[in-house]
Every structure is written in C-alpha cells, then in structure tokens.
Amino acid sequence: MKIYPYKRLNRPVVLRVISVSLKLSDGTRDQLETTAYSTQQQTVALGIAGHTDWVSATIGLSATLPPGANAPDAAWSDLKVIAVLTDGETNVRTSVPLAQDAEDGRDWSGSLEVFRDDHMGRASLAVYAVGTVDEVPGRSIAETDRSWIIDTVSEEPVRGLQLDVQKAPFRKSAREWLQAYADAPWIVDTSTRVPTVFVNTDVEGVIGLLDSNGSGVDSKVRDLLVAQMATDVWTAVFHGAIGDLEVEPGGGPVFPTDWQGEVLREMLPDVIPGVHVEEALRQVHRRRTGESGWVELQTRIHYAAVRRADASKALAYAIRSLEQMNRESEK
C-alpha cells in the first residue's frame, strides 16, 4: 500500500450506481432497468437497451465515506467528494463533485454524464474524498479500492476479460504478419483495443471441433482445446498488460484503467499471493525490470492462467470420458 506524508482514513469509500438513463438522438430519455448495472461485478453495460442512437448516459451515484470522515478532530478541512471517470484508450478524464446528503453525514450523491463520442469501450469510475491537510488543498483522504467499469458497448454488465475471436487462413491472410505463424492453430494479439484471438482456418479440423455442439469424446476434446486456448490467452494478456505499464515519477507502476488493469487485478492474487494487488503489482514490476526474479515468476503466471482457463476441470472430464469408453469397450 502507498505511504502518505499526512493523515488519511484507513478504509475505502464505498461507491454504488443507483440509476442509469440514456439520452437518445431525438432528445428523449430511456431510463434503464437495474439489469443494466451489477453491484457485484461493479459494472455498467450501456449497450443493454439495444439503442444505436444514444448520445449520452446519466449515471446516478451514491458514495459512503468511512467512519471518521466528519470527525470534529479530523486532520483535514474543506472536505469534498469527487467522482472521476477515466478512459485510458481515448485519454478522456471527467470529474464531477458529489453533494452531501445530510449535514455531518457520510453519504454523498450525484450524477455523472458519459458522452458516447468520448469513449470506444470501457472506462473506469472511481470516487475520491479530498480535503485540505497541513494547509495543502486537494489531498486525497480516501478513495474507492476498486473502480467501477462503465462499458459503453456491452449488453451485459460483466467485469471479466473481453475477447475478440476471429477466424483467418494464416497462409493467405490479408494481415501479412499472420503468415509467419502459418503452422500455429491460433495466435493472441494483445496490441488491439480488445485482445484478439486469431484462429487458423488452415489447420484441418480445428474450426469444426471448436464449433461442434455434440456430446461424447468430441465435446471433451473440444473442451480441452478451449482450455488450452484460454490458458494461452490469459498468459499472453498478462504479459501484454505487465509489459505496458505507466510508471510514476518515483518509479512505481500505475494500474491501467482498461482491460489490462482488469487482467492484472484478476491474476495478481495467484501470481503474488497473500498481498494486496497494489503491492503485488509493484513486486512483479520490480522483478520484470530488475536483475532477478522474473524467470522464477513464470511458473506462477502459468499457474494463474491455468486456473482462469479451468484447464484442470476440462482435463478431468476428458479423462473420465475416456475411462468410461474403455470400460464399455471391454464389456
């Protein structure tokens, strides 16, 4: 965790989304149902209503500060609460103040306007409590420990990693760089806005197997194939995320606000167990950029990818299916 040269609150701000509405191109508004946002996933899906002509979204917010925020003997004054929406892809940053619901209360509320033209995919929403400490204004007293995701495209409020899967004949692909991987069944490209898996249609049978909906051995082999692909994807996106970190002036890494941040928050507890994700990120960054420790960490990264891919479950199902087939053939 970070160390601040002044007193702060020890617990995080709790942020809730309480309403979402869309302003359409004809000036009307569509109040979305609660299915447009998930408190558990901490995600808002603005594509859920199926509108192609929405101009902006108004997101109602409620934030609760930790105990002690309004204490008479607090080390700060001029307390303010600010919601900040950050889009790492379009470099748009929007800040709005929240209003205190009741004098001396810890609940604050307000709304944030999200303009569709400012965003291409996902943005990150956090809330900060700031005040004047030691005569220095605008110092952070507390903040949310996990940002909400505002997804301007998705129809489902799911926080997990989004992938774009494309089929292509690698040997004759218009993407010339794919031709160098003509003998690979798939390749993961992490340089795009959304990580993309290219499946090689030149590999005989791979598309038919992936698209099969049957049961029996075929389905188990398909599950194994998908698990292997998913392991490769999680490994690739982790390395893509950790290799593209911004660094603070003091040398510490900054959590990304797009899919890269989601990948890191998902995998770091298995890569560096037992510590907060912020500290885990610093340890991984030090090992990657330092003189030692990075090679040894590859086993933990692979383990984290295997867990996300449910590879053990797919393997167990395949083994049981083969054992059952063998027993039946021996009768």
Side-chain angles (χ1 to χ4, degrees), residues 9-35:
L9 293 166
N10 294 325
R11 294 169 61 183
V13 177
V14 177
L15 172 62
R16 296 171 297 277
V17 169
I18 56 176
S19 66
V20 179
S21 66
L22 296 180
K23 181 180 179 181
L24 307 183
S25 58
D26 61 3
T28 61
R29 281 200 170 271
D30 184 3
Q31 186 72 37
L32 303 188
E33 298 181 359
T34 56
T35 51

Side-chain angles (χ1 to χ4, degrees), residues 22-28 50-56 116:
L22 296 180
K23 181 180 179 181
L24 307 183
S25 58
D26 61 3
T28 61
H51 292 296
T52 59
D53 60 343
W54 66 275
V55 177
S56 65
R116 185 177 186 179

Side-chain angles (χ1 to χ4, degrees), residues 238-253:
F238 183 87
H239 281 282
I242 207 69
D244 194 30
L245 292 174
E246 292 185 18
V247 180
E248 293 176 324

Side-chain angles (χ1 to χ4, degrees), residues 62-77:
S62 175
T64 301
L65 304 189
N70 301 320
D73 58 348
W76 48 83
S77 60

Side-chain angles (χ1 to χ4, degrees), residues 151-300:
D151 194 320
T152 60
V153 178
S154 178
E155 298 178 2
E156 186 178 359
V158 176
R159 193 179 183 92
L161 177 65
Q162 288 186 319
L163 294 173
D164 181 16
V165 180
Q166 297 188 25
K167 303 171 185 177
F170 286 13
R171 288 190 182 90
K172 298 180 180 180
S173 175
R175 300 177 179 87
E176 294 185 359
W177 65 270
L178 281 176
Q179 297 174 14
Y181 308 103
D183 58 346
W186 56 76
I187 285 292
V188 184
D189 182 10
T190 61
S191 65
T192 52
R193 181 178 65 85
V194 175
T196 302
V197 182
F198 290 97
V199 181
N200 190 358
T201 58
D202 290 332
V203 177
E204 186 176 354
V206 66
I207 297 300
L209 188 59
L210 289 173
D211 291 344
S212 65
N213 295 315
S215 57
V217 177
D218 285 352
S219 69
K220 302 302 182 291
V221 175
R222 181 197 62 221
D223 292 346
L224 274 176
L225 189 64
V226 170
Q228 179 59 57
M229 182 184 295
T231 300
D232 291 349
V233 168
W234 279 106
T235 303
V237 295
F238 183 87
H239 281 282
I242 207 69
D244 194 30
L245 292 174
E246 292 185 18
V247 180
E248 293 176 324
V254 179
F255 253 109
T257 58
D258 53 8
W259 65 263
Q260 295 174 331
E262 288 302 302
V263 165
L264 294 175
R265 291 185 186 278
E266 178 74 18
M267 294 182 67
L268 281 172
D270 283 327
V271 177
I272 305 289
V275 301
H276 191 274
V277 290
E278 299 278 353
E279 174 58 26
L281 180 64
R282 285 192 286 272
Q283 290 190 27
V284 172
H285 179 68
R286 283 198 298 267
R287 294 196 190 190
R288 191 185 70 83
T289 58
E291 296 181 357
S292 63
W294 179 237
V295 173
E296 292 79 5
L297 206 60
Q298 301 310 303
T299 302
R300 297 295 312 184

